[in-house]
Amino acid sequence: MSLIEGEKEHILACVKEVLGENTKTRENLIPLLQQVQHKLGYLPSLAMEKIAEGVNVPTVDIYGLATFYNQFRMNPPGKHQVKVCLGTACYMVGGDITLESFERRMEIKEGETSPDRLFSLERVACVGCCTLAPVVVVDDKVEGKVTPTRVDGIMLALNEENGKAAAEQKPDQSEGDDNGHS
Amino acid sequence: MSEHVNITIDDREIKVRPGEKLLWAALENDIYIPHLCAIKEESRPNASCRLCFVEIDGIDYPVAACTRQVEEGMVVKTRSTKVDRLVKTAFELLLSDHNLKCSECPANRNCALQRIAKERGLKLKHNRFKPIGREFELDDSPAEFAFDRSRCVLCGQCIWADRVGAEAWIFGFANRGIDRVVTTFNNLPLAELKCNECTLCVDACPVGALYYKREQKV
Ligand code: SF4
Ligand code: SF4
Ligand code: FES
Ligand code: FES
């Protein structure tokens, strides 16, 4: 995923800060990665490289660790985060088909973020409302019985919202869509 | 400490170096035990391939020979019903994630999987477990060799060669469970990394995953 303007400096500063505050040992790698991800929202390649350098372990080992645990993500969270449930109940009624529909509509694979960073797509296991299966969580809002037709509806709504937001907002790269979502 | 330890493997009495792992004691005395992941110099073996099981007198379950140190008076059997079952299952599971086309493979006739099959009378066929058929991109970026992950048995021999032999630190494991792979940082092609093509990893690969292009069949 290519970095956006100013992001490189932000990543470097953030990794530097985390490395400065922690013991730089192999045993401490997971907390280091967690803290960096907490600050950046994901683990960009550049951050993994800098952590590897700082702790003096091969970069491929950082990559191995980050890909082993589900809690780490290598792609930035999209403006809209869609999580498709593939827990047993949802899977049984076609959660995988729902996921595929999103993949097609967003033109990305599960675990990825669209190049414009508008959408990211993930899979989750049981959201806790199996009676609504197949379940999808869109920006923390639970959507039930999401068939491929519903996927179209959800995408339409999201795109409309983006269109409005783009029209209202002059090109301004400030943060602010990260907090306060309902 | 005495200079050697006496053990018995398959009714043969042998003298071995104290502290030696059972697997290497057997192999050095021409007693075959299947193995893929063991590395002699490694003090803490991965013991991940689960192929080197043996029975030891006094222990009522099979033991991985690559992890067990020899002890004076140890009596070992390389075969038993339990051992054979475990090895067969481990082998079949490996094959279920293996692109099994020996006639097209650069390692054909010089392959650790073929050897295990031959020694233990196992079939090199997909049978009980249906093939997973993971798809991988071939990395043929180096000039002399290529990496076809569809034949990788995840033994880790190349990682050891790359780290201890070449000190390049390029290869490692990534992902989890059935998605486990041997790969590079961000899955980058080898030519984009600090690989100087020393080919130690190719020589270490016991199957046809890392191979010389000149030996390529198709
Ligand atoms: S690695 Fe061995 S078993 Fe696999 S295809 Fe090649 S020769 Fe056959
Ligand atoms: S590439 Fe070869 S040596 Fe490396 S892990 Fe795979 S099978 Fe083993
Ligand atoms: S399995 Fe999807 S909500 Fe329970
Ligand atoms: S050689 Fe013992 S587990 Fe692989």
Side-chain angles (χ1 to χ4, degrees), chain B residues 92-158:
Chain B
E92 289 178 342
L93 282 168
L94 264 179
L95 292 190
S96 74
D97 187 30
H98 189 80
N99 176 12
L100 199 54
K101 287 198 197 101
C102 298
S103 60
E104 295 176 11
C105 178
N108 195 11
R109 310 176 82 87
N110 182 22
C111 163
L113 288 174
Q114 290 179 328
R115 166 125 202 235
I116 295 165
K118 187 164 160 251
E119 297 271 356
R120 290 290 161 103
L122 297 167
K123 289 206 179 71
L124 268 173
K125 275 212 304 222
H126 292 131
N127 208 339
R128 189 154 50 122
F129 307 115
K130 74 169 199 278
I132 299 167
R134 284 202 278 169
E135 279 175 27
F136 298 99
E137 225 167 288
L138 175 75
D139 183 0
D140 59 358
S141 64
E144 278 194 59
F145 67 96
F147 185 14
D148 184 343
R149 291 177 175 87
S150 71
R151 296 194 199 100
C152 175
V153 292
L154 301 172
C155 66
Q157 299 288 345
C158 55

Side-chain angles (χ1 to χ4, degrees), chain A residues 45 48-49 58-61 63-64 67-68 70, chain B residues 163 169-176 183 185-186:
Chain A
S45 299
M48 290 195 273
E49 282 167 326
T59 43
V60 65
D61 283 359
Y63 179 72
T67 54
F68 186 90
N70 268 339
Chain B
R163 297 183 172 199
W169 309 89
I170 286 172
F171 281 120
F173 286 108
N175 302 342
R176 186 179 38 176
T183 189
F185 177 61
N186 271 350

Side-chain angles (χ1 to χ4, degrees), chain A residues 1 18 32 39 41 47 57 62 75 77 111 144:
Chain A
M1 178 122 264
V18 171
L32 284 173
K39 282 179 194 280
V57 297
I62 306 284
N75 288 308

